[in-house]
Amino acid sequence: MKKVAGKKNRGLTKSGPLLLIALPGIIYIIINNYIPMFGVFLAFKDYNYVKGIFGSDWNGFDNFKYLFRHDALLIVRNTILYNLAFIIIGTIFSILVAILMCELGNRFRVKIFQSSLLLPNLLSWVVIGFIGFAFLNSDTGFINKTIIKFLGENEVAWYTNPKPWPIILLIVYLWKNVGYSSIIYMASIAGIDKSIFEAAKIDGANKIKQIRYITIPMLKPTVVILTLMAIGRIFYSDFGLFYQVPMNSGALYNVTQTIDTYVYHSLMELKDVGMSAAAALYQSIIGFILVVTANAVVRKVDKDNALF
Amino acid sequence: MNKLKKLLIISFSLIMAIIAAGCGKSESGKNNESNSQSGDKKSYDKVVYAYATFNNIPSSDVLETVQEEINKITREKINVEVELLPISIADYSSSVSLSLQGGEQIDLFESLGDYNTCVSSGMAYDITDLIDTCAAETKEVLGEDILAACVKDGRLYGIPTYKPYALTPMVIYKTEIADQLGIDMSQVKSAFDLTDVLRKVKEAYPDMIPLVPVQTGTSGLNLTVPDVDYLTDDYYSPKGVLMGDNMTVVDYYGTDEFAEICNLVRTWYNEGLILKDAATTTSTCTELMSSDNSFCYIASYSYPPEDTAASISAQVGNIPLGAVQIGEAYLDTTSINALTWMVSSNSKVPEAALKFLNLTFTDPDIINLLIYGIKDRDYVMDEEGYVSYPEGQDASSVPYTAQLSCGTLGNFFFMYPMTGTSKESLKWEEEQNKLAKKSPAMGFTFDSSEVKTEYTAVSNVIQQYLPGLLCGSVDPEVVIPEFRSKLSDAGLDTIIAAKQAQLDEWLKTK
């Protein structure tokens, strides 16, 4: 008995300080994420300022109706496809960058590259939107005035032509996020036992083979965890990316409208509390289902790597 | 282990203590306040006046000085103390509605284009029974006709700001360029006359963008369509409207007038006469006009053309500007109730709030304190009664000013005129209020709550197509039919039917 207790204690002694460090974060999450959850039922109410939160009338699923109109399919498609592209291509690029970074060796060089890759992540979407505008605007934009002129082609009205936007959004997303997410992979790579690489070298494995057979398999758990977490947010989209970068141009809605921007556009005029709550609830429920499903799949395939 | 437990307990209690202290602080703060209030010989009802400012938000000690001046008057006249709460125009609506939801005290607020939402979501207090006792003078000043715009189902929910309501569409242009090219702008009588002018400018200055948009997503042409009653919709997102005297609600986008302006601006776009990115640019028209390569824009103003030109000229670095009228003013319910002052439904002192609101419509001292601040510190006045900023100061450097909010606070006609404007214009404006054509549906407001779902979907479609059409960046021949079919998918017909039904109902009771 005492022995067991002792073991437990040792566990707590070890993790106690860590828990303490996590405490502000935990409190933050409780206050910011858990307490507001009680407002979920607003999604089923016809909110009225006089009657207040509890007094307002129930109105069943009326608040959800606008999320399922005929164009809802397009919006859901956009949200999911973009997020899938971001998850897959983003992960590939981040790993690539992380591996290249680790191969640089020289600390000084690594620092420079890392900082410059990280910089876009610190910019707000509004700023990035305007950087994009400097490139793309029709009258004075860099692309229209230099590159397209040089090629002798006709000027393109970027903000009214939906075709290139999936690619533009992907490029902008990668530019902003790859530097940041590659850090996690770099940390994982740094954690791989160096002696494995040395052994491989002695056996005559070249760099490509080392990456193929050691680095990438060793990164698998990290990839799985990050992907699972990303899947949980697959029904959310980065509002800034889809609103600021295309400059909220109506002509592009077919390819830039995601659930978040749709909700924003829909409720701009009405400012209906119940309907916004409905949108949030809808997103979290789908996200929850997706995470649980994805996790179940992972558990089936590879039990060790599942989140729970 | 014990050590750790202790550590955890200590840290927890520390956090609780901090939280408790936080609460305690605000509690004690409140107590102090009430103490100091009851410490005075008399106790006054405290009214919080939340107004939108287009100027800088003044610092709190400056604000207090203005507040104190106002309170000197209100304590005596109506036994009320006022707390001023200026909120930047950009955050106004959201910040007021969040504060009201959170139960913070705001007794008076303005509707900012959202009269209906404010009423249907229950933010506004029903002042029907109070107005005769608390704001009788205001009722007299405004008259029943104007107040009728704020009546819903026979109950009065607010008092519209008293100001020049009639918005007259105009072209604001740079006089230097017009003179240079020998263009006689007085010959421009409608938007269609503008094409030749723009072409001339483009010919003489190929690098110039002759026309800039008045705001994101509109060339301003929609403002020149005559005699439209938007029936409570946003000007920039009309759904079902009335055209002229016909009492049938029509689809705005199906009208010939709409097709005509779209075709017109498309020609401009194709010839490079309008800013290519007009549909998306976030630059304001004053910013665009300050640059060298612009010539004019189309907008609606409620002041006489000369005054408008003079006051905008001051905002664009004193480039000489002219203005010419290209349409007639038209009054509908929204043009009056867009800016309605409301007593909040959770106000504990509605009588006191309304009494103070009454003063902002009837007491010149209060209005001018709110707009210009304190005499000789924030503004100076010449012998003829015109005001200007003190020597070497401007709107951004004086301690307090809300000058740009003029026409949103109480009674505009009691405000001291700025140097550069004329008292004559005030007469013109009051006259316009009386002379302007009025919609046959004046006083009708549309309640969108029964068609909320359709409303959201339709707003969405409009935002997708309308800016492109109004700025010429898409081809109306192709896009208007597509736009209309999407609108009807989204349920525009249901909205129009609902509007018609409510309108018929309203006509019956009239």
Side-chain angles (χ1 to χ4, degrees), chain B residues 39-164:
Chain B
D40 287 341
K41 275 166 207 150
K42 246 169 146 186
S43 76
Y44 301 100
D45 287 330
K46 195 177 132 219
V47 169
V48 178
Y49 183 78
Y51 59 106
T53 176
F54 296 75
N55 293 91
N56 301 335
I57 304 265
S59 67
S60 59
D61 47 329
V62 168
L63 196 62
E64 254 162 48
T65 57
V66 177
Q67 200 169 294
E68 186 48 37
E69 287 298 314
I70 291 176
N71 282 338
K72 274 184 200 155
I73 305 172
T74 55
R75 277 187 206 120
E76 195 181 316
K77 275 197 167 172
I78 53 173
N79 211 17
V80 162
E81 271 185 350
V82 182
E83 186 185 324
L84 299 180
L85 185 64
I87 299 171
S88 152
I89 177 68
D91 313 323
Y92 188 80
S93 304
S94 55
S95 145
V96 166
S97 75
L98 283 176
S99 304
L100 289 179
Q101 276 172 57
E104 275 169 52
Q105 189 190 358
I106 286 182
D107 299 292
L108 288 165
F109 64 94
E110 47 195 303
S111 65
L112 278 187
D114 264 342
Y115 171 81
N116 243 350
T117 317
C118 293
V119 174
S120 63
S121 61
M123 283 158 75
Y125 193 89
D126 177 358
I127 57 171
T128 324
D129 305 325
L130 294 181
I131 185 143
D132 286 318
T133 49
C134 300
E137 292 116 308
T138 304
K139 196 174 172 184
E140 213 165 280
V141 169
L142 291 168
E144 292 281 351
D145 281 354
I146 291 176
L147 279 180
C150 295
V151 172
K152 193 164 178 177
D153 302 331
R155 311 299 293 176
L156 182 69
Y157 287 100
I159 300 177
T161 311
Y162 194 46
K163 57 162 189 181

Side-chain angles (χ1 to χ4, degrees), chain B residues 10 52 63 94 99 127 156 206 210 274 280 319 344 398 477 480 508:
Chain B
I10 288 170
L63 196 62
S94 55
S99 304
I127 57 171
L156 182 69
I274 182 173
T280 49
I319 302 169
S344 74
V398 290
E477 302 277 314
I480 291 184
K508 255 185 247 161

Side-chain angles (χ1 to χ4, degrees), chain B residues 167-326:
Chain B
L167 288 168
T168 314
M170 303 176 194
V171 179
I172 315 292
Y173 61 96
K174 291 182 181 162
T175 44
E176 274 174 3
I177 298 174
D179 292 346
Q180 219 169 12
L181 301 177
I183 301 170
D184 182 7
M185 287 300 282
S186 64
Q187 292 305 309
V188 177
K189 303 274 187 230
S190 80
F192 294 90
D193 298 339
L194 206 54
T195 315
D196 285 333
V197 173
L198 297 177
R199 280 190 187 134
K200 259 189 206 164
V201 174
K202 186 77 186 177
E203 224 170 85
Y205 304 98
D207 284 338
M208 188 176 276
I209 299 157
L211 183 81
V212 294
V214 55
Q215 69 174 61
T216 308
T218 174
S219 51
L221 275 180
N222 52 327
L223 306 168
T224 68
V225 180
D227 302 354
V228 184
D229 184 331
Y230 291 94
L231 298 176
T232 321
D233 289 334
D234 191 327
Y235 283 5
Y236 299 103
S237 172
K239 283 129 202 146
V241 299
L242 287 183
M243 300 290 256
D245 290 331
N246 193 339
M247 292 307 269
T248 321
V249 182
V250 292
D251 168 8
Y252 180 72
Y253 307 103
T255 58
D256 294 340
E257 285 88 345
F258 180 70
E260 269 170 31
I261 57 166
C262 291
N263 288 328
L264 178 63
V265 73
R266 182 66 181 169
T267 351
W268 293 352
Y269 180 87
N270 284 336
E271 293 180 27
L273 303 178
I274 182 173
L275 187 75
K276 282 255 162 61
D277 282 318
T280 49
T281 183
T282 45
S283 307
T284 61
C285 58
T286 44
E287 277 165 28
L288 292 166
M289 285 297 276
S290 322
S291 86
D292 285 336
N293 64 344
S294 57
F295 172 62
C296 67
Y297 72 97
I298 302 170
S300 281
Y301 291 101
S302 54
Y303 314 107
E306 305 79 49
D307 278 21
T308 309
S311 79
I312 295 165
S313 166
Q315 291 172 42
V316 297
N318 291 320
I319 302 169
L321 294 180
V324 47
Q325 196 173 328
I326 54 165

Side-chain angles (χ1 to χ4, degrees), chain B residues 391-446:
Chain B
E391 191 71 39
Q393 305 250 50
D394 62 20
S396 54
S397 61
V398 290
Y400 179 95
T401 187
Q403 198 272 326
L404 291 175
S405 305
C406 67
T408 67
L409 309 177
N411 190 340
F412 171 83
F413 297 104
F414 277 170
M415 270 173 52
Y416 303 140
M418 288 285 279
T419 310
T421 62
S422 75
K423 288 178 180 168
E424 293 296 305
S425 351
L426 284 177
K427 274 191 206 134
W428 184 90
E429 288 151 13
E430 262 195 299
E431 216 141 88
Q432 282 290 95
N433 271 356
K434 295 191 186 103
L435 293 179
K437 241 190 191 173
K438 292 186 180 66
S439 160
M442 177 59 88
F444 168 73
T445 53
F446 173 61

Side-chain angles (χ1 to χ4, degrees), chain A residues 10-144:
Chain A
R10 223 177 297 140
L12 201 60
T13 331
K14 246 187 192 166
S15 56
L18 294 176
L19 270 177
L20 205 63
I21 293 170
L23 200 62
I26 293 170
I27 290 173
Y28 167 83
I29 285 181
I30 288 175
I31 292 175
N32 232 4
N33 295 19
Y34 278 85
I35 295 179
M37 264 191 213
F38 100 104
V40 152
F41 65 91
L42 274 178
F44 304 97
K45 285 202 155 192
D46 185 9
Y47 187 75
N48 184 304
Y49 288 85
V50 182
K51 294 178 184 165
I53 293 178
F54 297 103
S56 296
D57 304 325
W58 297 97
N59 67 349
F61 284 93
D62 277 3
N63 287 336
F64 290 84
K65 275 188 192 152
Y66 79 108
L67 294 167
F68 296 97
R69 294 200 61 89
H70 71 286
D71 46 355
L73 206 66
L74 178 88
I75 292 150
V76 169
R77 182 203 75 179
N78 280 348
T79 316
I80 291 188
L81 285 188
Y82 273 118
N83 274 328
L84 275 181
F86 292 163
I87 292 172
I88 296 169
I89 301 176
T91 310
I92 294 173
F93 269 84
S94 313
I95 293 178
L96 198 70
V97 167
I99 291 174
L100 291 177
M101 227 49 125
C102 289
E103 296 304 329
L104 274 177
N106 183 322
R107 271 183 69 89
F108 181 65
R109 273 183 290 179
V110 173
K111 281 266 139 54
I112 287 184
F113 278 102
Q114 203 175 16
S115 311
S116 45
L117 278 171
L118 204 58
L119 190 70
N121 199 266
L122 304 176
L123 297 177
S124 102
W125 279 119
V126 180
V127 176
I128 295 179
F130 278 97
I131 294 177
F133 188 68
F135 274 89
L136 300 174
N137 94 54
S138 313
D139 291 311
T140 52
F142 176 76
I143 295 189
N144 272 355

Side-chain angles (χ1 to χ4, degrees), chain B residues 423-476:
Chain B
K423 288 178 180 168
E424 293 296 305
S425 351
L426 284 177
K427 274 191 206 134
W428 184 90
E429 288 151 13
E430 262 195 299
E431 216 141 88
Q432 282 290 95
N433 271 356
K434 295 191 186 103
L435 293 179
K437 241 190 191 173
K438 292 186 180 66
S439 160
M442 177 59 88
F444 168 73
T445 53
F446 173 61
D447 177 6
S448 58
S449 56
E450 52 178 306
V451 286
K452 259 202 266 187
T453 314
E454 288 80 9
Y455 225 72
T456 51
V458 168
S459 311
N460 230 305
V461 177
I462 291 174
Q463 283 181 64
Q464 177 169 0
Y465 288 97
L466 191 59
L469 283 168
L470 285 182
C471 297
S473 46
V474 293
D475 182 6

